[in-house]
Amino acid sequence: MMVTHKSHVLDVAGARIHYEVRGSGPALLLIPGSNGDAGFFDAMADRLADRYMVISYDRRGFSRSPASEEPAGWIETHVEDARRLIDSVAEEPVRVFGTSAGAVIGLALIGWHPHKVGRLVAHEPPLLEVLPDAPRWRAFFEDVVATHQSQGADAAMRQFMTGIGMGEAQRPADLDPELLGRMAGIAHTVLTQEVPNAPSHRPDLAALDAHHARIVLAGGRDSRAHFPYQPAVVLAARWNQQVIEFPGDHLGYWSHPAEFAATLTDAMAM
């Protein structure tokens, strides 16, 4: 299934953001995780385009969104990019789906700009600071950064992926060679921007408490034992919710796009 989409560029401070729009209806913004590329959402976005105007984008520093400088404040910069994109493309409030680091950004977005988000589905936000064993995970991510400095990107990426439970992440049967080609250069951004900043972000829980009725916590049914699923459990318990299970693992939106799109549609209607 392929739906025609239009590609655009949004100029923001220090970067040019590549984004794509497909379909019509209420706006749905998709925020990628630390793979950073809208292409991982393509198959799912095509299936959502019959009911939403789907907006997907490469986050700054990834793939087709070159950055002229590294952000001074990771979370502040990425939230501002999302806010600017909403202001440029859609009428607020919008629906937002964020996965992994994108869920961290989505949670900060609804906490800081609640009038811009009608509903947020936060899929496996890797927020170590909300976990009871936070010191263990803080040490792990610090060790990944140290490995990058001492042994290089390949060793650090292997340590990172295995440690969070993505050593054998599921993939679709047909891999897009163009997408995989864009992934060849992401290790530096992941290891210098994402790993040191996304897991260690301390969410403003008081701000989120005020808007929790519009937040859905989600996790992959095949990644319950993995690190990124656990913060969703903690936040859901805080707000007397249950984690809504989606197909697949941490990358279920890529490996199971049809089923994932159907589950996301249901979650947006909760």
Side-chain angles (χ1 to χ4, degrees), residues 18 31 33 38 51 65 76 78 88 94 129 156 183 190 199 240 257 266:
H18 168 93
I31 308 179
R51 66 187 68 214
S65 293
E76 294 84 0
H78 284 286
S88 298
V94 304
E129 296 296 345
M183 292 299 97
V190 171
N240 196 28
D266 291 342

Side-chain angles (χ1 to χ4, degrees), residues 52-73:
Y52 298 110
M53 179 178 74
V54 184
I55 308 158
S56 56
Y57 69 109
D58 295 354
R59 288 202 285 116
R60 72 163 60 214
F62 290 96
S63 298
R64 298 158 292 187
S65 293
S68 59
E69 57 189 39
E70 292 187 347

Side-chain angles (χ1 to χ4, degrees), residues 9-165:
V9 172
L10 176 67
D11 288 311
V12 296
R16 303 195 77 198
I17 304 298
H18 168 93
Y19 70 95
E20 301 171 357
V21 180
R22 45 167 64 78
S24 60
L28 170 59
L29 176 67
L30 308 179
I31 308 179
S34 292
N35 50 40
D37 193 300
F40 286 94
F41 291 138
D42 280 352
M44 180 181 74
D46 286 347
R47 289 165 170 82
L48 293 165
D50 62 342
R51 66 187 68 214
Y52 298 110
M53 179 178 74
V54 184
I55 308 158
S56 56
Y57 69 109
D58 295 354
R59 288 202 285 116
R60 72 163 60 214
F62 290 96
S63 298
R64 298 158 292 187
S65 293
S68 59
E69 57 189 39
E70 292 187 347
W74 182 87
I75 189 66
E76 294 84 0
T77 301
H78 284 286
V79 169
E80 178 63 11
D81 288 348
R83 185 196 68 78
R84 287 283 307 278
L85 191 53
I86 291 170
D87 288 347
S88 298
V89 181
E91 294 184 4
E92 58 191 51
V94 304
R95 294 163 172 82
V96 176
F97 169 77
T99 182
S100 192
V104 175
I105 296 164
L107 286 164
L109 177 67
I110 195 172
W112 297 347
H113 304 287
H115 60 287
K116 295 191 178 296
V117 181
R119 182 167 297 277
L120 167 68
V121 175
H123 180 257
E124 300 198 1
L127 291 165
L128 71 84
E129 296 296 345
V130 306
L131 297 177
D133 57 349
R136 168 200 170 194
W137 288 107
R138 198 178 301 125
F140 167 75
F141 288 107
E142 290 172 354
D143 194 39
V144 170
V145 172
T147 299
H148 180 219
Q149 294 170 347
S150 63
Q151 301 178 41
D154 289 346
M157 286 298 291
R158 285 194 300 272
Q159 180 184 10
F160 169 59
M161 297 291 282
T162 302
I164 66 172

